[in-house]
Amino acid sequence: MLKKDFPIFEKHPDLIYLDSAATSLKPQSVIDAINDYYINYSSNSHRGIYDLAEKTTEKVEEVRIKIADFLGSKIEEVAFTPGATTGLNILYYGYLKNVPKNSRVVVLESEHNSNLLPLMKWCKEFSLKLEIVKLENSVEEIEENLIAFLDNQTVLLALNFDSNVMPLNLNFERIIQVARGLNIKVFLDACQTLAHNQIDVKKLKIDALAFSAHKLYGPTGIGAIYINENLISLLDPLIVGGGIVEDVQESEVKYYTGIKKFEAGTLNMAGIFGFGACIDYLLKIGYKSIVKQEKSLAKKLILEFEKLEFIETYPKFLKENSLFAFNVKGVHPHDAAMILNEDNVCIRASQHCTHLLHERLKINASLRVSFGVYSTKNDIDCLIDSLKKVNKYFNSIDG
Amino acid sequence: MVNPAMQNVLDHFKDPENYGVLENYTHSYELKNLSCGDTVHVYLIVEDDIIKKFSFTGEGCAISQASASMLSDEIIGLRLDDFLKIDSNFIKNLVKMDLGPSRLKCATMSLEATRKAIN
């Protein structure tokens, strides 16, 4: 029972939290690490030369090493960011600014707005052609369509590794292999992946990746980017300021040439301490155990959903993933979530920042259940009971 | 058992008051909530600065539609300057449910649409 690791369940013992894809709950070890910074360090890293500041710098760099090990990258390829959205903006601005005009960038229409909107903005800004691949027909056809868009005019393939609404389970190895054969850079948004599956950036042969800590049991306001060492010099920093320069003259600014040029301003050090602790926590549990537990929960949820004729899922045939989008037929998702809330069942109800996907599905909004390491079969039972109540209230004549 | 406030919302949602399009309306406005696709379209007949008739149509969550129904009962016969004094607290008191910021946005759609129709 991992619920005991999460103090929020002491304060809210009846909490049924099924919204971990929005943000995961925080274990005590992460909270302790954040407090450790404020109580025992509380100084700025990479600046002061007194002991306290030097210790903070050492600790921040220890976490950078931890993230590099976690991703299978080199230490010099990891930068801290305030989160995935900032990270993706840094990556796309930096890279797309210097590619030839009219080049093509390929993305899927199921992308989260954190990935899609920076691409739309920077492609427009730098006169590039953004190809948004439609989610038509089967996964195999989507994969073929995606690959068909890759050509020698394409400079970037930029994808969510896992969707935050509708997992496609694409064959990434194959897609990346095709992209690399055409010398197309591959950048991934791994926000929905790393709490459930590890990514080795070298084995997967990707060029850049962004993620945030708060979806992997870490604090909000902190994330990281990986950029392949051969690419770093080609990217201009989006945000400039203190901590990223070698020299400043009135006529010229000499920025760092390495990965730290993307870390302007004071770092979120408390967040970084918590970031380190959340990676320790994840690895302590182990991905094998996480996947086993999630598959078992997914199996139960799918079976339960199949019994309920009033549930409509997206896609129709579910696979054993960590998140599920659906609706109660004839009931607005806000209304369903409101009834669930009365039973302390927390799930997401909206477009989940995927407007294009919902347009494709021809629905205004949907409900989403997502698992974390603290999720249990009892949580699913409570969810199902509550959904039956929703159906009774809204769909029965005397409800 | 559904609580009384929720039951009231469900009753208004399933069988709303003043639902439909008024003939010869003098003012109208359609408000959309882009984040969830909800719509509330209000129709008014205003004479001598008094809301003589009010109706609405729409699609969306129970709170957005039920609150329009509840509001309709309250504002027919009001002078415009009295209507303009109505705020979100008035809607909260009508709905009688604990509404967070997101739900309050749904609950006040008809109020906002009516204000825009008048302006």
Side-chain angles (χ1 to χ4, degrees), chain A residues 332 334-335 338 342 364 393, chain B residues 3 14 36 38 61-62 103:
Chain A
H332 194 289
H334 281 184
D335 293 333
M338 183 174 67
E342 291 197 336
N364 280 333
Y393 289 170
Chain B
N3 68 55
K14 290 180 178 179
C36 59
D38 289 1
C61 67
R103 301 261 66 195

Side-chain angles (χ1 to χ4, degrees), chain A residues 36 113 168 183 190 216 222 255 274 320 353 357 367 369 371 397 399:
Chain A
D36 181 39
N113 287 343
L168 294 169
N183 203 24
L216 13 151
I222 187 72
Y255 293 108
E320 289 169 8
C353 303
L357 175 61
L367 297 163
V369 161
F371 301 141
I397 297 161

Side-chain angles (χ1 to χ4, degrees), chain A residues 182-297:
Chain A
L182 291 160
N183 203 24
I184 296 166
K185 302 293 181 216
V186 181
F187 288 11
L188 291 183
D189 168 0
C191 281
Q192 293 296 344
T193 304
L194 293 168
H196 314 283
N197 288 296
Q198 200 154 11
I199 293 177
D200 186 313
V201 294
K202 298 295 178 189
K203 277 188 191 154
L204 201 55
K205 294 181 179 156
I206 55 173
D207 299 284
L209 171 144
F211 69 108
S212 56
H214 76 98
K215 292 194 202 295
L216 13 151
Y217 313 102
T220 54
I222 187 72
I225 48 176
Y226 150 79
I227 307 173
N228 184 286
E229 60 186 339
N230 299 321
L231 200 61
I232 293 171
S233 63
L234 302 177
L235 269 64
D236 286 342
L238 170 67
I239 302 157
V240 295
I244 65 164
V245 285
E246 280 173 9
D247 191 27
V248 180
Q249 300 293 325
E250 268 190 27
S251 57
E252 193 193 5
V253 178
K254 219 172 166 187
Y255 293 108
Y256 286 158
T257 52
I259 193 83
K260 286 184 183 168
K261 68 181 171 181
F262 303 110
E263 292 180 346
T266 291
L267 292 170
N268 175 1
M269 287 158 292
I272 291 170
F273 278 45
F275 201 164
C278 81
I279 291 175
D280 289 341
Y281 183 76
L282 261 177
L283 296 178
K284 193 177 96 185
I285 299 169
Y287 282 102
K288 210 174 157 188
S289 163
I290 291 171
V291 171
K292 193 179 164 198
Q293 164 78 349
E294 284 176 355
K295 280 199 181 299
S296 154
L297 293 173

